[in-house]
PDB file of all heavy atoms in Angstrom:
ATOM      1  N   TYR A 175       1.275   0.090  12.663  1.00  0.00           N
ATOM      2  CA  TYR A 175       1.250   0.382  11.211  1.00  0.00           C
ATOM      3  C   TYR A 175       0.596  -0.686  10.352  1.00  0.00           C
ATOM      4  O   TYR A 175      -0.103  -0.401   9.326  1.00  0.00           O
ATOM      5  CB  TYR A 175       2.705   0.677  10.694  1.00  0.00           C
ATOM      6  CG  TYR A 175       3.213   2.013  11.081  1.00  0.00           C
ATOM      7  CD1 TYR A 175       4.247   2.147  12.029  1.00  0.00           C
ATOM      8  CD2 TYR A 175       2.674   3.148  10.604  1.00  0.00           C
ATOM      9  CE1 TYR A 175       4.720   3.438  12.374  1.00  0.00           C
ATOM     10  CE2 TYR A 175       3.132   4.428  10.915  1.00  0.00           C
ATOM     11  CZ  TYR A 175       4.199   4.518  11.828  1.00  0.00           C
ATOM     12  OH  TYR A 175       4.612   5.770  12.195  1.00  0.00           O
ATOM     13  N   ALA A 176       0.749  -1.912  10.791  1.00  0.00           N
ATOM     14  CA  ALA A 176       0.100  -3.041  10.086  1.00  0.00           C
ATOM     15  C   ALA A 176      -1.444  -2.836  10.185  1.00  0.00           C
ATOM     16  O   ALA A 176      -2.114  -3.064   9.194  1.00  0.00           O
ATOM     17  CB  ALA A 176       0.537  -4.349  10.649  1.00  0.00           C
ATOM     18  N   CYS A 177      -1.955  -2.526  11.372  1.00  0.00           N
ATOM     19  CA  CYS A 177      -3.408  -2.305  11.520  1.00  0.00           C
ATOM     20  C   CYS A 177      -3.852  -1.150  10.665  1.00  0.00           C
ATOM     21  O   CYS A 177      -4.951  -1.211  10.045  1.00  0.00           O
ATOM     22  CB  CYS A 177      -3.726  -2.035  12.978  1.00  0.00           C
ATOM     23  SG  CYS A 177      -3.598  -3.489  13.983  1.00  0.00           S
ATOM     24  N   ALA A 178      -3.075  -0.067  10.606  1.00  0.00           N
ATOM     25  CA  ALA A 178      -3.459   1.065   9.715  1.00  0.00           C
ATOM     26  C   ALA A 178      -3.494   0.657   8.236  1.00  0.00           C
ATOM     27  O   ALA A 178      -4.442   1.083   7.516  1.00  0.00           O
ATOM     28  CB  ALA A 178      -2.476   2.213   9.950  1.00  0.00           C
ATOM     29  N   ILE A 179      -2.559  -0.178   7.840  1.00  0.00           N
ATOM     30  CA  ILE A 179      -2.531  -0.610   6.474  1.00  0.00           C
ATOM     31  C   ILE A 179      -3.717  -1.530   6.136  1.00  0.00           C
ATOM     32  O   ILE A 179      -4.410  -1.341   5.094  1.00  0.00           O
ATOM     33  CB  ILE A 179      -1.175  -1.363   6.125  1.00  0.00           C
ATOM     34  CG1 ILE A 179      -0.073  -0.320   6.092  1.00  0.00           C
ATOM     35  CG2 ILE A 179      -1.263  -2.078   4.805  1.00  0.00           C
ATOM     36  CD1 ILE A 179       1.298  -0.905   6.045  1.00  0.00           C
ATOM     37  N   VAL A 180      -4.023  -2.412   7.068  1.00  0.00           N
ATOM     38  CA  VAL A 180      -5.238  -3.309   6.894  1.00  0.00           C
ATOM     39  C   VAL A 180      -6.515  -2.427   6.796  1.00  0.00           C
ATOM     40  O   VAL A 180      -7.347  -2.663   5.949  1.00  0.00           O
ATOM     41  CB  VAL A 180      -5.278  -4.351   8.003  1.00  0.00           C
ATOM     42  CG1 VAL A 180      -6.665  -5.068   8.031  1.00  0.00           C
ATOM     43  CG2 VAL A 180      -4.150  -5.371   7.819  1.00  0.00           C
ATOM     44  N   LEU A 181      -6.643  -1.523   7.715  1.00  0.00           N
ATOM     45  CA  LEU A 181      -7.763  -0.634   7.689  1.00  0.00           C
ATOM     46  C   LEU A 181      -7.847   0.164   6.358  1.00  0.00           C
ATOM     47  O   LEU A 181      -8.916   0.309   5.747  1.00  0.00           O
ATOM     48  CB  LEU A 181      -7.730   0.389   8.863  1.00  0.00           C
ATOM     49  CG  LEU A 181      -8.951   1.332   8.953  1.00  0.00           C
ATOM     50  CD1 LEU A 181     -10.208   0.628   9.155  1.00  0.00           C
ATOM     51  CD2 LEU A 181      -8.664   2.317  10.085  1.00  0.00           C
ATOM     52  N   GLY A 182      -6.737   0.677   5.907  1.00  0.00           N
ATOM     53  CA  GLY A 182      -6.768   1.407   4.622  1.00  0.00           C
ATOM     54  C   GLY A 182      -7.153   0.500   3.473  1.00  0.00           C
ATOM     55  O   GLY A 182      -7.883   0.979   2.603  1.00  0.00           O
ATOM     56  N   VAL A 183      -6.720  -0.734   3.479  1.00  0.00           N
ATOM     57  CA  VAL A 183      -7.057  -1.680   2.393  1.00  0.00           C
ATOM     58  C   VAL A 183      -8.655  -1.931   2.455  1.00  0.00           C
ATOM     59  O   VAL A 183      -9.307  -1.954   1.472  1.00  0.00           O
ATOM     60  CB  VAL A 183      -6.274  -2.969   2.504  1.00  0.00           C
ATOM     61  CG1 VAL A 183      -6.928  -4.069   1.583  1.00  0.00           C
ATOM     62  CG2 VAL A 183      -4.890  -2.771   2.093  1.00  0.00           C
ATOM     63  N   PHE A 184      -9.151  -2.126   3.663  1.00  0.00           N
ATOM     64  CA  PHE A 184     -10.575  -2.343   3.784  1.00  0.00           C
ATOM     65  C   PHE A 184     -11.372  -1.114   3.314  1.00  0.00           C
ATOM     66  O   PHE A 184     -12.530  -1.263   2.896  1.00  0.00           O
ATOM     67  CB  PHE A 184     -10.928  -2.730   5.243  1.00  0.00           C
ATOM     68  CG  PHE A 184     -10.877  -4.214   5.483  1.00  0.00           C
ATOM     69  CD1 PHE A 184      -9.785  -4.748   6.166  1.00  0.00           C
ATOM     70  CD2 PHE A 184     -11.825  -5.074   5.041  1.00  0.00           C
ATOM     71  CE1 PHE A 184      -9.611  -6.038   6.415  1.00  0.00           C
ATOM     72  CE2 PHE A 184     -11.733  -6.472   5.330  1.00  0.00           C
ATOM     73  CZ  PHE A 184     -10.643  -6.871   5.998  1.00  0.00           C
ATOM     74  N   VAL A 185     -10.864   0.071   3.521  1.00  0.00           N
ATOM     75  CA  VAL A 185     -11.582   1.276   3.131  1.00  0.00           C
ATOM     76  C   VAL A 185     -11.475   1.462   1.538  1.00  0.00           C
ATOM     77  O   VAL A 185     -12.426   1.842   0.939  1.00  0.00           O
ATOM     78  CB  VAL A 185     -11.086   2.490   3.886  1.00  0.00           C
ATOM     79  CG1 VAL A 185     -11.622   3.760   3.328  1.00  0.00           C
ATOM     80  CG2 VAL A 185     -11.441   2.388   5.348  1.00  0.00           C
ATOM     81  N   VAL A 186     -10.274   1.297   1.043  1.00  0.00           N
ATOM     82  CA  VAL A 186      -9.997   1.616  -0.362  1.00  0.00           C
ATOM     83  C   VAL A 186     -10.441   0.508  -1.340  1.00  0.00           C
ATOM     84  O   VAL A 186     -10.881   0.801  -2.471  1.00  0.00           O
ATOM     85  CB  VAL A 186      -8.586   1.976  -0.569  1.00  0.00           C
ATOM     86  CG1 VAL A 186      -8.177   2.096  -2.037  1.00  0.00           C
ATOM     87  CG2 VAL A 186      -8.185   3.232   0.183  1.00  0.00           C
ATOM     88  N   ALA A 187     -10.421  -0.800  -0.939  1.00  0.00           N
ATOM     89  CA  ALA A 187     -10.746  -1.881  -1.813  1.00  0.00           C
ATOM     90  C   ALA A 187     -12.108  -1.836  -2.458  1.00  0.00           C
ATOM     91  O   ALA A 187     -12.234  -2.009  -3.635  1.00  0.00           O
ATOM     92  CB  ALA A 187     -10.497  -3.235  -1.124  1.00  0.00           C
ATOM     93  N   PRO A 188     -13.212  -1.519  -1.693  1.00  0.00           N
ATOM     94  CA  PRO A 188     -14.478  -1.469  -2.325  1.00  0.00           C
ATOM     95  C   PRO A 188     -14.582  -0.328  -3.345  1.00  0.00           C
ATOM     96  O   PRO A 188     -15.176  -0.489  -4.463  1.00  0.00           O
ATOM     97  CB  PRO A 188     -15.501  -1.190  -1.209  1.00  0.00           C
ATOM     98  CG  PRO A 188     -14.728  -1.695   0.006  1.00  0.00           C
ATOM     99  CD  PRO A 188     -13.299  -1.449  -0.242  1.00  0.00           C
ATOM    100  N   LEU A 189     -13.913   0.839  -3.027  1.00  0.00           N
ATOM    101  CA  LEU A 189     -13.935   1.977  -4.026  1.00  0.00           C
ATOM    102  C   LEU A 189     -13.189   1.543  -5.303  1.00  0.00           C
ATOM    103  O   LEU A 189     -13.641   1.843  -6.409  1.00  0.00           O
ATOM    104  CB  LEU A 189     -13.318   3.174  -3.386  1.00  0.00           C
ATOM    105  CG  LEU A 189     -14.092   3.709  -2.142  1.00  0.00           C
ATOM    106  CD1 LEU A 189     -13.358   4.836  -1.498  1.00  0.00           C
ATOM    107  CD2 LEU A 189     -15.478   4.104  -2.552  1.00  0.00           C
ATOM    108  N   ALA A 190     -12.071   0.906  -5.114  1.00  0.00           N
ATOM    109  CA  ALA A 190     -11.290   0.455  -6.277  1.00  0.00           C
ATOM    110  C   ALA A 190     -12.053  -0.575  -7.155  1.00  0.00           C
ATOM    111  O   ALA A 190     -12.054  -0.484  -8.342  1.00  0.00           O
ATOM    112  CB  ALA A 190      -9.924  -0.142  -5.835  1.00  0.00           C
ATOM    113  N   TRP A 191     -12.764  -1.452  -6.514  1.00  0.00           N
ATOM    114  CA  TRP A 191     -13.586  -2.426  -7.134  1.00  0.00           C
ATOM    115  C   TRP A 191     -14.674  -1.737  -7.948  1.00  0.00           C
ATOM    116  O   TRP A 191     -15.027  -2.147  -9.067  1.00  0.00           O
ATOM    117  CB  TRP A 191     -14.133  -3.452  -6.204  1.00  0.00           C
ATOM    118  CG  TRP A 191     -14.966  -4.429  -6.818  1.00  0.00           C
ATOM    119  CD1 TRP A 191     -16.343  -4.652  -6.568  1.00  0.00           C
ATOM    120  CD2 TRP A 191     -14.694  -5.372  -7.906  1.00  0.00           C
ATOM    121  NE1 TRP A 191     -16.799  -5.672  -7.385  1.00  0.00           N
ATOM    122  CE2 TRP A 191     -15.823  -6.130  -8.189  1.00  0.00           C
ATOM    123  CE3 TRP A 191     -13.521  -5.568  -8.604  1.00  0.00           C
ATOM    124  CZ2 TRP A 191     -15.837  -7.107  -9.177  1.00  0.00           C
ATOM    125  CZ3 TRP A 191     -13.498  -6.605  -9.579  1.00  0.00           C
ATOM    126  CH2 TRP A 191     -14.628  -7.306  -9.887  1.00  0.00           C
ATOM    127  N   LEU A 192     -15.316  -0.680  -7.419  1.00  0.00           N
ATOM    128  CA  LEU A 192     -16.352   0.008  -8.115  1.00  0.00           C
ATOM    129  C   LEU A 192     -15.829   0.701  -9.383  1.00  0.00           C
ATOM    130  O   LEU A 192     -16.427   0.719 -10.389  1.00  0.00           O
ATOM    131  CB  LEU A 192     -16.983   1.046  -7.199  1.00  0.00           C
ATOM    132  CG  LEU A 192     -17.922   0.527  -6.121  1.00  0.00           C
ATOM    133  CD1 LEU A 192     -18.391   1.621  -5.145  1.00  0.00           C
ATOM    134  CD2 LEU A 192     -19.134  -0.198  -6.748  1.00  0.00           C
ATOM    135  N   VAL A 193     -14.566   1.261  -9.190  1.00  0.00           N
ATOM    136  CA  VAL A 193     -13.989   1.923 -10.423  1.00  0.00           C
ATOM    137  C   VAL A 193     -13.636   0.842 -11.456  1.00  0.00           C
ATOM    138  O   VAL A 193     -13.937   1.110 -12.671  1.00  0.00           O
ATOM    139  CB  VAL A 193     -12.682   2.700  -9.976  1.00  0.00           C
ATOM    140  CG1 VAL A 193     -11.972   3.109 -11.221  1.00  0.00           C
ATOM    141  CG2 VAL A 193     -13.156   3.938  -9.090  1.00  0.00           C
ATOM    142  N   ILE A 194     -13.085  -0.264 -11.040  1.00  0.00           N
ATOM    143  CA  ILE A 194     -12.742  -1.310 -12.003  1.00  0.00           C
ATOM    144  C   ILE A 194     -14.037  -1.836 -12.709  1.00  0.00           C
ATOM    145  O   ILE A 194     -14.039  -2.018 -13.920  1.00  0.00           O
ATOM    146  CB  ILE A 194     -11.998  -2.478 -11.353  1.00  0.00           C
ATOM    147  CG1 ILE A 194     -10.645  -2.008 -10.942  1.00  0.00           C
ATOM    148  CG2 ILE A 194     -11.939  -3.686 -12.231  1.00  0.00           C
ATOM    149  CD1 ILE A 194      -9.887  -2.966  -9.996  1.00  0.00           C
ATOM    150  N   MET A 195     -15.116  -2.005 -11.973  1.00  0.00           N
ATOM    151  CA  MET A 195     -16.357  -2.493 -12.545  1.00  0.00           C
ATOM    152  C   MET A 195     -16.968  -1.456 -13.527  1.00  0.00           C
ATOM    153  O   MET A 195     -17.529  -1.813 -14.568  1.00  0.00           O
ATOM    154  CB  MET A 195     -17.399  -2.849 -11.481  1.00  0.00           C
ATOM    155  CG  MET A 195     -17.141  -4.093 -10.755  1.00  0.00           C
ATOM    156  SD  MET A 195     -18.547  -4.693  -9.733  1.00  0.00           S
ATOM    157  CE  MET A 195     -19.474  -3.337  -9.342  1.00  0.00           C
ATOM    158  N   SER A 196     -16.730  -0.205 -13.197  1.00  0.00           N
ATOM    159  CA  SER A 196     -17.355   0.843 -14.022  1.00  0.00           C
ATOM    160  C   SER A 196     -16.634   1.015 -15.398  1.00  0.00           C
ATOM    161  O   SER A 196     -17.259   1.498 -16.368  1.00  0.00           O
ATOM    162  CB  SER A 196     -17.449   2.151 -13.290  1.00  0.00           C
ATOM    163  OG  SER A 196     -16.090   2.741 -13.243  1.00  0.00           O
ATOM    164  N   ILE A 197     -15.317   0.616 -15.447  1.00  0.00           N
ATOM    165  CA  ILE A 197     -14.648   0.781 -16.741  1.00  0.00           C
ATOM    166  C   ILE A 197     -14.398  -0.544 -17.445  1.00  0.00           C
ATOM    167  O   ILE A 197     -13.742  -0.600 -18.521  1.00  0.00           O
ATOM    168  CB  ILE A 197     -13.296   1.457 -16.512  1.00  0.00           C
ATOM    169  CG1 ILE A 197     -12.408   0.694 -15.582  1.00  0.00           C
ATOM    170  CG2 ILE A 197     -13.494   2.914 -15.996  1.00  0.00           C
ATOM    171  CD1 ILE A 197     -11.012   1.224 -15.483  1.00  0.00           C
ATOM    172  N   SER A 198     -14.930  -1.690 -16.855  1.00  0.00           N
ATOM    173  CA  SER A 198     -14.680  -2.991 -17.471  1.00  0.00           C
ATOM    174  C   SER A 198     -15.795  -3.278 -18.442  1.00  0.00           C
ATOM    175  O   SER A 198     -16.917  -2.939 -18.240  1.00  0.00           O
ATOM    176  CB  SER A 198     -14.604  -4.086 -16.452  1.00  0.00           C
ATOM    177  OG  SER A 198     -13.416  -3.935 -15.567  1.00  0.00           O
ATOM    178  N   ASP A 199     -15.495  -4.138 -19.394  1.00  0.00           N
ATOM    179  CA  ASP A 199     -16.517  -4.706 -20.324  1.00  0.00           C
ATOM    180  C   ASP A 199     -17.293  -5.728 -19.616  1.00  0.00           C
ATOM    181  O   ASP A 199     -16.743  -6.450 -18.682  1.00  0.00           O
ATOM    182  CB  ASP A 199     -15.810  -5.207 -21.552  1.00  0.00           C
ATOM    183  CG  ASP A 199     -16.758  -5.686 -22.638  1.00  0.00           C
ATOM    184  OD1 ASP A 199     -17.767  -4.934 -22.820  1.00  0.00           O
ATOM    185  OD2 ASP A 199     -16.551  -6.744 -23.282  1.00  0.00           O
ATOM    186  N   THR A 200     -18.511  -6.015 -20.035  1.00  0.00           N
ATOM    187  CA  THR A 200     -19.361  -7.037 -19.388  1.00  0.00           C
ATOM    188  C   THR A 200     -18.691  -8.426 -19.432  1.00  0.00           C
ATOM    189  O   THR A 200     -18.781  -9.156 -18.480  1.00  0.00           O
ATOM    190  CB  THR A 200     -20.758  -7.026 -19.986  1.00  0.00           C
ATOM    191  OG1 THR A 200     -21.239  -5.694 -19.990  1.00  0.00           O
ATOM    192  CG2 THR A 200     -21.668  -7.915 -19.265  1.00  0.00           C
ATOM    193  N   ASN A 201     -18.109  -8.653 -20.572  1.00  0.00           N
ATOM    194  CA  ASN A 201     -17.403  -9.991 -20.705  1.00  0.00           C
ATOM    195  C   ASN A 201     -16.254 -10.195 -19.716  1.00  0.00           C
ATOM    196  O   ASN A 201     -16.041 -11.267 -19.140  1.00  0.00           O
ATOM    197  CB  ASN A 201     -16.811 -10.164 -22.137  1.00  0.00           C
ATOM    198  CG  ASN A 201     -17.970 -10.247 -23.093  1.00  0.00           C
ATOM    199  OD1 ASN A 201     -19.122 -10.690 -22.759  1.00  0.00           O
ATOM    200  ND2 ASN A 201     -17.772  -9.871 -24.364  1.00  0.00           N
ATOM    201  N   ASP A 202     -15.578  -9.091 -19.398  1.00  0.00           N
ATOM    202  CA  ASP A 202     -14.498  -9.212 -18.411  1.00  0.00           C
ATOM    203  C   ASP A 202     -15.032  -9.421 -17.061  1.00  0.00           C
ATOM    204  O   ASP A 202     -14.351 -10.084 -16.225  1.00  0.00           O
ATOM    205  CB  ASP A 202     -13.656  -7.879 -18.430  1.00  0.00           C
ATOM    206  CG  ASP A 202     -12.752  -7.745 -19.652  1.00  0.00           C
ATOM    207  OD1 ASP A 202     -12.489  -8.779 -20.282  1.00  0.00           O
ATOM    208  OD2 ASP A 202     -12.363  -6.599 -19.924  1.00  0.00           O
ATOM    209  N   LEU A 203     -16.125  -8.920 -16.713  1.00  0.00           N
ATOM    210  CA  LEU A 203     -16.741  -9.072 -15.388  1.00  0.00           C
ATOM    211  C   LEU A 203     -17.395 -10.504 -15.184  1.00  0.00           C
ATOM    212  O   LEU A 203     -17.653 -10.901 -14.048  1.00  0.00           O
ATOM    213  CB  LEU A 203     -17.763  -8.000 -15.164  1.00  0.00           C
ATOM    214  CG  LEU A 203     -17.228  -6.585 -15.061  1.00  0.00           C
ATOM    215  CD1 LEU A 203     -18.345  -5.581 -14.951  1.00  0.00           C
ATOM    216  CD2 LEU A 203     -16.294  -6.481 -13.841  1.00  0.00           C
ATOM    217  N   THR A 204     -17.791 -11.130 -16.279  1.00  0.00           N
ATOM    218  CA  THR A 204     -18.498 -12.424 -16.163  1.00  0.00           C
ATOM    219  C   THR A 204     -17.613 -13.640 -16.476  1.00  0.00           C
ATOM    220  O   THR A 204     -18.114 -14.751 -16.413  1.00  0.00           O
ATOM    221  CB  THR A 204     -19.712 -12.438 -17.076  1.00  0.00           C
ATOM    222  OG1 THR A 204     -19.302 -12.149 -18.422  1.00  0.00           O
ATOM    223  CG2 THR A 204     -20.780 -11.388 -16.628  1.00  0.00           C
ATOM    224  N   THR A 205     -16.379 -13.442 -16.851  1.00  0.00           N
ATOM    225  CA  THR A 205     -15.497 -14.602 -17.141  1.00  0.00           C
ATOM    226  C   THR A 205     -15.059 -15.265 -15.854  1.00  0.00           C
ATOM    227  O   THR A 205     -14.965 -14.605 -14.822  1.00  0.00           O
ATOM    228  CB  THR A 205     -14.246 -14.198 -17.940  1.00  0.00           C
ATOM    229  OG1 THR A 205     -13.529 -13.184 -17.166  1.00  0.00           O
ATOM    230  CG2 THR A 205     -14.649 -13.691 -19.257  1.00  0.00           C
ATOM    231  N   VAL A 206     -14.808 -16.582 -15.972  1.00  0.00           N
ATOM    232  CA  VAL A 206     -14.270 -17.306 -14.768  1.00  0.00           C
ATOM    233  C   VAL A 206     -12.913 -17.893 -15.239  1.00  0.00           C
ATOM    234  O   VAL A 206     -12.921 -18.601 -16.247  1.00  0.00           O
ATOM    235  CB  VAL A 206     -15.232 -18.424 -14.384  1.00  0.00           C
ATOM    236  CG1 VAL A 206     -14.639 -19.235 -13.286  1.00  0.00           C
ATOM    237  CG2 VAL A 206     -16.527 -17.853 -13.960  1.00  0.00           C
ATOM    238  N   PRO A 207     -11.833 -17.651 -14.595  1.00  0.00           N
ATOM    239  CA  PRO A 207     -11.650 -16.715 -13.441  1.00  0.00           C
ATOM    240  C   PRO A 207     -11.757 -15.234 -13.834  1.00  0.00           C
ATOM    241  O   PRO A 207     -11.592 -14.892 -14.957  1.00  0.00           O
ATOM    242  CB  PRO A 207     -10.211 -17.088 -12.989  1.00  0.00           C
ATOM    243  CG  PRO A 207      -9.541 -17.462 -14.200  1.00  0.00           C
ATOM    244  CD  PRO A 207     -10.597 -18.148 -15.097  1.00  0.00           C
ATOM    245  N   LEU A 208     -12.146 -14.481 -12.871  1.00  0.00           N
ATOM    246  CA  LEU A 208     -12.354 -13.044 -13.045  1.00  0.00           C
ATOM    247  C   LEU A 208     -11.131 -12.325 -13.536  1.00  0.00           C
ATOM    248  O   LEU A 208     -10.034 -12.557 -13.039  1.00  0.00           O
ATOM    249  CB  LEU A 208     -12.882 -12.410 -11.769  1.00  0.00           C
ATOM    250  CG  LEU A 208     -13.199 -10.959 -11.775  1.00  0.00           C
ATOM    251  CD1 LEU A 208     -14.410 -10.655 -12.637  1.00  0.00           C
ATOM    252  CD2 LEU A 208     -13.469 -10.470 -10.397  1.00  0.00           C
ATOM    253  N   ARG A 209     -11.284 -11.422 -14.499  1.00  0.00           N
ATOM    254  CA  ARG A 209     -10.247 -10.547 -14.966  1.00  0.00           C
ATOM    255  C   ARG A 209     -10.260  -9.235 -14.095  1.00  0.00           C
ATOM    256  O   ARG A 209     -11.139  -8.469 -14.212  1.00  0.00           O
ATOM    257  CB  ARG A 209     -10.356 -10.167 -16.388  1.00  0.00           C
ATOM    258  CG  ARG A 209     -10.085 -11.284 -17.304  1.00  0.00           C
ATOM    259  CD  ARG A 209      -9.974 -10.794 -18.752  1.00  0.00           C
ATOM    260  NE  ARG A 209      -9.892 -11.935 -19.670  1.00  0.00           N
ATOM    261  CZ  ARG A 209     -10.782 -12.160 -20.601  1.00  0.00           C
ATOM    262  NH1 ARG A 209     -11.749 -11.291 -20.860  1.00  0.00           N
ATOM    263  NH2 ARG A 209     -10.685 -13.243 -21.370  1.00  0.00           N
ATOM    264  N   TRP A 210      -9.270  -9.070 -13.201  1.00  0.00           N
ATOM    265  CA  TRP A 210      -9.254  -7.935 -12.294  1.00  0.00           C
ATOM    266  C   TRP A 210      -8.928  -6.656 -13.030  1.00  0.00           C
ATOM    267  O   TRP A 210      -9.439  -5.591 -12.774  1.00  0.00           O
ATOM    268  CB  TRP A 210      -8.292  -8.159 -11.226  1.00  0.00           C
ATOM    269  CG  TRP A 210      -8.741  -9.173 -10.226  1.00  0.00           C
ATOM    270  CD1 TRP A 210      -8.433 -10.520 -10.235  1.00  0.00           C
ATOM    271  CD2 TRP A 210      -9.632  -9.038  -9.122  1.00  0.00           C
ATOM    272  NE1 TRP A 210      -9.089 -11.187  -9.243  1.00  0.00           N
ATOM    273  CE2 TRP A 210      -9.812 -10.286  -8.515  1.00  0.00           C
ATOM    274  CE3 TRP A 210     -10.310  -7.974  -8.611  1.00  0.00           C
ATOM    275  CZ2 TRP A 210     -10.629 -10.440  -7.396  1.00  0.00           C
ATOM    276  CZ3 TRP A 210     -11.112  -8.105  -7.485  1.00  0.00           C
ATOM    277  CH2 TRP A 210     -11.241  -9.396  -6.919  1.00  0.00           C
ATOM    278  N   ILE A 211      -8.050  -6.785 -14.038  1.00  0.00           N
ATOM    279  CA  ILE A 211      -7.665  -5.616 -14.839  1.00  0.00           C
ATOM    280  C   ILE A 211      -8.298  -5.792 -16.189  1.00  0.00           C
ATOM    281  O   ILE A 211      -8.116  -6.789 -16.919  1.00  0.00           O
ATOM    282  CB  ILE A 211      -6.062  -5.461 -15.014  1.00  0.00           C
ATOM    283  CG1 ILE A 211      -5.401  -5.588 -13.664  1.00  0.00           C
ATOM    284  CG2 ILE A 211      -5.744  -4.340 -15.806  1.00  0.00           C
ATOM    285  CD1 ILE A 211      -5.787  -4.427 -12.755  1.00  0.00           C
ATOM    286  N   PRO A 212      -9.142  -4.759 -16.594  1.00  0.00           N
ATOM    287  CA  PRO A 212      -9.869  -4.961 -17.893  1.00  0.00           C
ATOM    288  C   PRO A 212      -8.880  -4.890 -19.046  1.00  0.00           C
ATOM    289  O   PRO A 212      -7.878  -4.166 -19.044  1.00  0.00           O
ATOM    290  CB  PRO A 212     -10.780  -3.748 -17.849  1.00  0.00           C
ATOM    291  CG  PRO A 212     -10.238  -2.736 -16.942  1.00  0.00           C
ATOM    292  CD  PRO A 212      -9.419  -3.555 -15.975  1.00  0.00           C
TER     293      PRO A 212
END
């Protein structure tokens, strides 16, 4: 089950990051430290 969860995270994380980037303001994406939630 741990392996299945790790695999699920590796599959879903890039898709979640794409959605977050698509709805974030440019300033949120370029600040340091990064704002994960817009």
Side-chain angles (χ1 to χ4, degrees):
Y175 283 113
C177 288
I179 289 170
V180 168
L181 179 65
V183 167
F184 272 103
V185 169
V186 173
L189 298 174
W191 177 242
L192 286 174
V193 169
I194 290 171
M195 282 191 339
S196 73
I197 61 173
S198 295
D199 186 38
T200 307
N201 294 332
D202 287 340
L203 294 172
T204 56
T205 59
V206 176
L208 180 67
R209 288 192 190 121
W210 289 94
I211 306 297

